[in-house]
Amino acid sequence: MPAPRSLPSAGPVHYRVEAADLHAHLYAVTLTIAAPAARQELSLPVWIPGSYLVREFSRNLQSLQATQNGQPVALQQLDKHRWLAPCQKGQPLVLTYQVAAYDNSVRTAWLDATRGFFNGTSLCLRVHGQEGAPHALEVVRTPALAGWSVATGLAPAKVTRQGFGTYLAAGYDELVDCPVEMGPFWSARFTACGVPHRIVVAGAAPSFDGERLVADTRRICEELIRFWHGPSERPPHESYVFMLNVVDDGYGGLEHRNSTALICGRRDLPRQGEARTPEGYTTLLGLISHEYFHTWNVKRLRPAEFARYDYARENYTELLWFFEGFTSYYDDLLLRRCGLLDDAGYLRLLGKAANQVLQTPGRHVQSVAQASFDAWIKYYRQDENTPNATVSYYTKGSLVALCLDLALRREGRTTLDAVMRGLWQRCAGGPMKEADLLRVLKSLSGRDWSDEIAAWAHGTGELPLAELLAAHGVTLHEEAPQWAQRLGLRVGEAQGLQAKVVLRGGLAEKAGFMAADEWIGIETPEGAWRLTKLEDLPLYAGKATQVTALVARDRRLLRLTLDLQPPAGRPADTIRLAVSDTAAAGRWLAPQ
């Protein structure tokens, strides 16, 4: 738990949060403003930093009322998320309201009889004009919460052993950047490079191996702290909290200044008595590495456009390919360096990322810089055309980082590791621009990298993966694609065979398939067959190079002529990576 802050316990802005009704999933909030403005404006954020979509959190707010000296204050609603309170001078303003908490994700708020969680952006009205004043958050323990505890990255002022009580923040930005986890969760503490850390896990099965999760997370944290800092340097956070919500099937995370909220599936956790590392657990460790890396890269070293968040509207930047993409490059690479992955395991994950990009036609349409800017309307609002119109700034951004790192290492004067540390020092762990990256690259490597950044981040051409990997002892092998990729089709098989996405330029698009089509079967010269799984297509097609696909669209039955052989000369979009020179690969994957 962070050390207590020497701030006033009441605070000029004080929030009292109570789990008012577990079965109705309602939080009750009382906001007290000690010295309100004559016309005090209040608002609730429309988005949460790190998740670039306007989510309209005020839709969950209800029963908002205000009083001064016990008398009602007539609130005027200005728009979807702002209110105005006419106030008397010298009298505290008290607002009460409820927030419905039905979102079991990392972004909003959740409350039921087994667990509570909230981000301040969902519960805490912003007091305009006092954002920089000290804020206090009081989390109330009610009889219904017997056996529950509280975890948060906020500094405690006066809290119980279970964590209920009052916490302090230097301002609104810090308050809403420290989510709160409540419940009868599993908890453990450890120290990494002198920094106290805590892990809380809610919803795990009885087989959960907590000791292994703690040991592996400690290795990740120590590796990342050493990545960013020398032995005599202190990391920017005095403590850190991992909040892991375990569900039947889920995955995700959201970074914060000294904590992270995570979600994983129960089958992804390590199990007592099992020494093997399931694929799902490796994915979870990569997520932990990713969000912890964000403690430096995005929470502090951040786009200049995010120097001060505007909670009322979209905040645009073209640099998510750097902040999310480079973080995605390092999350698994640092697992390899701290021994939680071997070379083969790391290259398998890297090959998976490369295949995701190669199998996305939108990479020829939009650059990762443009995709970064359009995150608000494309990445977070995906539909049947998304793979054809855009590219992920996570996956292609990670490949841009890979190419830059390997190109720097090939020239022999510096590495991307040194560039990241150089950026941290140049920008004093604060806002940065693309120009800062170019200046650090030139300073450390001795030459200008504008052409590469223009081509790789601002262009839509192919990245030189094969050439750069070969120079570091890794060979790129072409693989035969699965039938979905061979046809240019992404399908669902839960209730029959249904087209989800028809990829641009593929055989399915040429035949006339459309997203949402139900693929009923095929006709060949030898007969007609019912089709329920795409992998059964060669079973029924036999040696045929062309079939008639029987498709249902809006209750109409269609017969589509489908070629099964892709045209000659089509570029490879499915690859596999393998070490061909152990010494060369080791200098990159596990540098001493």
Side-chain angles (χ1 to χ4, degrees):
M1 184 176 291
R5 288 268 184 92
S6 57
L7 296 173
S9 60
V13 181
H14 185 279
Y15 303 85
R16 183 182 187 273
V17 175
E18 178 183 342
D21 193 325
L22 302 182
H23 301 307
H25 317 287
L26 288 174
Y27 287 104
V29 182
T30 301
L31 166 59
T32 302
I33 307 168
R39 291 173 57 80
Q40 182 61 64
E41 187 175 333
L42 306 119
S43 66
L44 198 66
V46 303
W47 70 290
I48 182 170
S51 185
Y52 307 104
L53 178 66
V54 172
R55 298 184 184 275
E56 315 291 18
F57 298 131
S58 59
R59 63 192 172 91
N60 299 314
L61 188 149
Q62 61 191 49
S63 304
L64 177 61
Q65 297 180 350
T67 60
Q68 264 194 310
N69 199 25
Q71 299 301 310
V73 173
L75 290 169
Q76 177 186 357
Q77 186 162 0
L78 301 176
D79 56 28
K80 62 183 181 182
H81 74 119
R82 293 187 303 140
W83 294 264
L84 186 66
C87 297
Q88 298 177 13
K89 187 175 182 180
Q91 297 291 330
L93 176 65
V94 179
L95 299 108
T96 60
Y97 53 96
Q98 295 177 327
V99 174
Y102 288 90
D103 184 4
N104 195 20
S105 76
V106 297
R107 298 177 296 266
T108 315
W110 170 265
L111 182 64
D112 70 0
T114 62
R115 174 179 177 261
F117 172 83
F118 64 87
N119 287 285
T121 44
S122 291
L123 261 66
C124 299
L125 286 168
R126 181 165 64 101
V127 182
H128 291 225
Q130 299 196 37
E131 293 91 344
H135 285 51
L137 176 69
E138 180 185 358
V139 184
V140 179
R141 182 186 182 277
T142 64
L145 305 186
W148 285 32
S149 298
V150 174
T152 180
L154 286 168
K158 185 178 181 180
V159 301
T160 66
R161 184 170 59 87
Q162 292 77 24
F164 290 96
T166 303
Y167 296 85
L168 302 174
Y172 187 78
D173 283 349
E174 181 179 354
L175 175 78
V176 300
D177 204 13
C178 296
V180 175
E181 176 80 27
M182 301 189 297
F185 48 68
W186 179 91
S187 178
R189 300 178 187 272
F190 66 90
T191 300
C193 299
V195 178
H197 291 67
R198 184 183 187 187
I199 302 179
V200 300
V201 181
S207 61
F208 165 52
D209 187 347
E211 290 186 5
R212 183 176 179 186
L213 178 65
V214 169
D216 292 344
T217 303
R218 179 191 289 116
R219 290 171 69 176
I220 292 169
C221 294
E222 290 176 345
E223 184 71 27
L224 267 67
I225 291 172
R226 289 192 294 264
F227 174 90
W228 286 100
H229 303 287
S232 61
E233 297 176 322
R234 292 285 298 174
H237 50 293
E238 297 177 358
S239 62
Y240 198 90
V241 184
F242 293 94
M243 306 174 196
L244 178 57
N245 178 27
V246 185
V247 296
D248 179 59
D249 183 23
Y251 172 82
L254 189 60
E255 68 275 2
H256 299 279
R257 63 181 61 200
N258 67 338
S259 63
T260 183
L262 309 167
I263 287 181
C264 77
R266 289 189 183 90
R267 297 168 187 82
D268 297 335
L269 289 176
R271 301 180 190 180
Q272 298 172 9
E274 287 192 6
R276 69 184 185 92
T277 302
E279 183 179 349
Y281 183 48
T282 298
T283 301
L284 172 60
L285 293 178
L287 177 65
I288 289 171
S289 176
H290 183 100
E291 303 303 339
Y292 197 65
F293 197 87
H294 272 321
T295 308
W296 293 266
N297 194 40
V298 93
K299 294 312 300 181
R300 291 170 174 83
L301 190 65
R302 65 169 89 177
E305 297 89 345
F306 292 178
R308 191 63 184 261
Y309 295 121
D310 184 345
Y311 296 102
R313 57 187 56 84
E314 297 89 342
N315 291 213
Y316 295 102
T317 178
E318 287 192 345
L319 281 175
L320 294 182
W321 61 269
F322 176 86
F323 290 99
E324 290 292 355
F326 281 42
T327 300
S328 297
Y329 170 61
Y330 275 111
D331 54 20
D332 289 334
L333 180 59
L334 291 170
L335 292 186
R336 170 65 194 91
R337 291 184 183 175
C338 69
L340 293 172
L341 274 177
D342 58 16
D343 287 351
Y346 172 70
L347 292 179
R348 185 165 53 250
L349 294 176
L350 183 59
K352 181 179 179 181
N355 284 332
Q356 287 175 355
V357 173
L358 291 172
Q359 295 168 8
T360 301
R363 75 188 189 280
H364 296 306
V365 176
Q366 191 174 52
S367 71
V368 282
Q370 293 170 323
S372 299
F373 195 86
D374 277 346
W376 300 89
I377 59 171
K378 292 194 175 181
Y379 185 81
Y380 281 90
R381 289 179 174 169
Q382 298 196 14
D383 57 29
E384 62 275 3
N385 192 49
T386 294
N388 297 321
T390 188
V391 66
S392 169
Y393 48 79
Y394 283 89
T395 48
K396 187 176 178 183
S398 71
L399 299 184
V400 171
L402 167 70
C403 289
L404 187 56
D405 193 14
L406 298 185
L408 289 166
R409 290 175 183 273
R410 183 173 62 178
E411 295 191 4
R413 296 191 61 177
T414 191
T415 67
L416 189 59
D417 299 3
V419 170
M420 298 301 290
R421 289 188 286 267
L423 275 169
W424 178 262
Q425 294 165 0
R426 173 183 172 81
C427 300
M432 64 159 276
K433 300 179 180 180
E434 187 176 302
D436 294 308
L437 170 62
L438 291 171
R439 289 191 182 100
V440 172
L441 281 168
K442 185 173 183 179
S443 172
L444 294 179
S445 71
R447 75 167 180 88
D448 182 68
W449 289 80
S450 299
D451 289 345
E452 285 84 356
I453 297 300
W456 300 344
H458 295 274
T460 57
E462 301 290 11
L463 298 173
L465 294 176
E467 169 197 348
L468 290 170
L469 286 166
H472 294 80
V474 175
T475 302
L476 186 151
H477 300 274
E478 294 184 14
E479 295 270 281
Q482 298 293 317
W483 270 101
Q485 187 57 32
R486 184 171 174 175
L487 297 177
L489 194 62
R490 297 181 185 177
V491 300
E493 297 179 344
Q495 296 179 338
L497 192 59
Q498 186 177 52
K500 298 295 186 182
V501 173
V502 180
L503 296 176
R504 186 74 68 240
L507 296 174
E509 183 186 59
K510 180 182 177 182
F513 273 83
M514 183 177 181
D517 282 352
E518 181 187 1
W519 192 351
I520 298 171
I522 63 168
E523 291 179 341
T524 71
E526 287 76 23
W529 300 91
R530 182 80 167 92
L531 195 63
T532 58
K533 294 183 178 180
L534 188 56
E535 293 307 312
D536 286 343
L537 179 59
L539 172 67
Y540 298 127
K543 296 181 179 180
T545 58
Q546 187 181 84
V547 298
T548 298
L550 305 177
V551 170
R553 180 185 305 164
D554 191 29
R555 303 285 183 177
R556 300 177 64 184
L557 296 179
L558 307 176
R559 302 174 77 249
L560 307 178
T561 301
L562 176 65
D563 291 326
L564 300 183
Q565 293 294 333
R570 178 184 174 186
D573 54 18
T574 305
I575 64 167
R576 176 179 56 86
L577 303 179
V579 173
S580 54
D581 184 331
T582 303
R587 288 190 289 272
W588 160 42
L589 297 176
Q592 301 299 315

